[in-house]
Amino acid sequence: MMDTKQNDTKQSGTEDERAVSPVISVVLMVVITVILAAAAASLALNTAEDQSAPATAGVSIENETGTPGLQVTLTALGDKTNAVECVGPSTPKETASSIGTTFNCSAGNTIVAVDTDGKQTTIRSDIDT
């Protein structure tokens, strides 16, 4: 059997000095783990903040005789919604930005809600009379 005292003499330093190295390595591993966890949490929180809800709005669409296209009345606006628009190739853009406002929208056009950043969300596409 091997004598442990003989093995201890081969290691450099005293017993107190040899204990420093494992303690430092454990502390460094803990610090690195904390830094990586903080970086991952920061990335996850920033990603969640960048996502925003699309523009939302309520509209009433009616086909009244004697008027061209459809009558679109704005009935509700979402929190980050600026306006509702009728967009398409056949007519100039019609817009409503306050509840109760009515505008005409021709067949084949699209009704969209526009948010505060100018992004459009389709409410109804390719409307027909």
Side-chain angles (χ1 to χ4, degrees), residues 77-110:
L77 273 176
D79 290 338
K80 296 185 177 183
T81 306
N82 278 348
V84 173
E85 298 177 350
C86 176
V87 294
S90 61
T91 59
K93 181 172 62 173
E94 297 274 349
T95 304
S97 57
S98 60
I99 295 174
T101 305
T102 301
F103 60 88
N104 289 328
C105 194
S106 299
N109 287 346
T110 301

Side-chain angles (χ1 to χ4, degrees), residues 62-87:
E62 296 178 12
N63 187 4
E64 293 185 17
T65 35
T67 57
L70 300 170
Q71 296 292 312
V72 179
T73 304
L74 182 59
T75 58
L77 273 176
D79 290 338
K80 296 185 177 183
T81 306
N82 278 348
V84 173
E85 298 177 350
C86 176
V87 294

